[in-house]
Amino acid sequence: MLELLKKRRSIRKYTNEKVCDEKILNLIQAALFSPTSKNSKSCEFIIVKDKNLLSKLSNFKPDASFLKNADLGIIVMGNSLLSDVWIEDASIAASNIHLLSQEIDLGSCWIQVRNRNYNENTSSEEYIRNLFNVPENINILAVISVGFPGEQKDPLTEENLNYNKVYLNSYLNKYLK
Ligand SMILES: Cc1cc2nc3c(=O)[nH]c(=O)nc-3n(C[C@H](O)[C@H](O)[C@H](O)COP(=O)(O)O)c2cc1C
């Protein structure tokens, strides 16, 4: 697991290779195996494979355009009527999709939707809601872009670890000195 966590990076460039249905199913399984508070199973997902729709989706905020070059996008959503902590539930599912992508040789990136804007008048969530017919009680957390990696990134190392943010028994006492 630690080796996987070191190799996991945000990949924003993709090749044209198609992601097979078996891998897509694996990503869905990673999402649905994720824990939810009180086992509410508050998360829902839209798999976006259609190139035209993916291109429209990539306009949901100014810096998400790399999404149109991914093979697919996974819209991660949470039902706020089923859980008051749908954000946490959906975040764990999104993270598990991102991690499993690495494990099955895909590249992926979390693209934030919640609290982001399409333009001055329309939130990113509203833009996506309209495009994909998402009902009002379903909130949108993020889109995960997925494809075969078109860029290589160095794995994380010990130098990336902020051990100074870890304390022992009190905030006044660093865990590692
Ligand atoms: C909650 C969250 C939101 C993120 N939103 C975006 C985003 O909107 N666009 C993007 O390109 N990357 C986004 N990322 C990816 C981060 O930029 C990335 O994880 C960070 O820079 C560290 O790089 P690494 O993932 O390659 O280690 C997000 C990551 C997280 C955890």
Side-chain angles (χ1 to χ4, degrees):
M1 186 71 186
L2 275 178
E3 288 310 307
L4 175 66
L5 291 172
K6 283 185 206 166
K7 282 189 281 176
R8 179 222 58 81
R9 297 297 310 275
S10 296
I11 298 300
R12 300 182 181 86
K13 292 182 182 150
Y14 310 95
T15 68
N16 290 329
E17 193 178 344
K18 301 289 296 171
V19 176
C20 66
D21 287 341
E22 189 190 351
K23 283 188 192 291
I24 296 174
L25 183 61
N26 289 159
L27 295 172
I28 294 169
Q29 288 166 337
L32 296 177
F33 273 134
S34 303
T36 54
S37 169
K38 299 180 184 171
N39 210 14
S40 63
K41 303 192 188 302
S42 66
C43 302
E44 301 191 26
F45 308 89
I46 301 176
I47 311 299
V48 184
K49 289 173 78 175
D50 180 275
K51 279 284 156 203
N52 185 35
L53 271 176
L54 202 58
S55 180
K56 285 184 182 157
L57 176 61
S58 73
N59 292 324
F60 78 79
K61 66 176 182 178
D63 47 359
S65 59
F66 67 89
L67 173 61
K68 68 175 176 297
N69 300 319
D71 192 51
L72 63 132
I74 302 177
I75 304 173
V76 181
M77 305 170 293
N79 187 333
S80 54
L81 297 180
L82 283 183
S83 178
D84 59 343
V85 291
W86 69 269
I87 297 172
E88 288 82 349
D89 291 346
S91 296
I92 293 168
S95 181
N96 283 349
I97 294 168
H98 183 42
L99 281 172
L100 190 84
S101 299
Q102 174 64 47
E103 177 65 14
I104 60 177
D105 302 322
L106 298 173
S108 68
C109 187
W110 178 314
I111 315 176
Q112 184 69 19
V113 175
R114 198 180 66 83
N115 286 352
R116 299 291 179 262
N117 291 309
Y118 169 68
N119 63 22
E120 272 182 15
N121 307 314
T122 310
S123 69
S124 295
E125 183 178 53
E126 281 177 84
Y127 176 84
I128 297 174
R129 186 184 299 291
N130 291 336
L131 196 55
F132 293 89
N133 305 303
V134 178
E136 282 297 324
N137 62 305
I138 303 295
N139 301 286
I140 306 170
L141 178 85
V143 177
I144 312 296
S145 55
V146 181
F148 281 92
E151 62 177 336
Q152 297 298 326
K153 288 194 171 174
D154 292 336
L156 301 173
T157 66
E158 281 281 314
E159 281 160 30
N160 298 106
L161 300 181
N162 291 328
Y163 284 121
N164 65 338
K165 297 199 174 181
V166 184
Y167 310 89
L168 178 63
N169 295 327
S170 159
Y171 199 82
L172 300 177
N173 192 31
K174 300 275 186 207
Y175 186 80
L176 294 169
K177 298 191 178 78

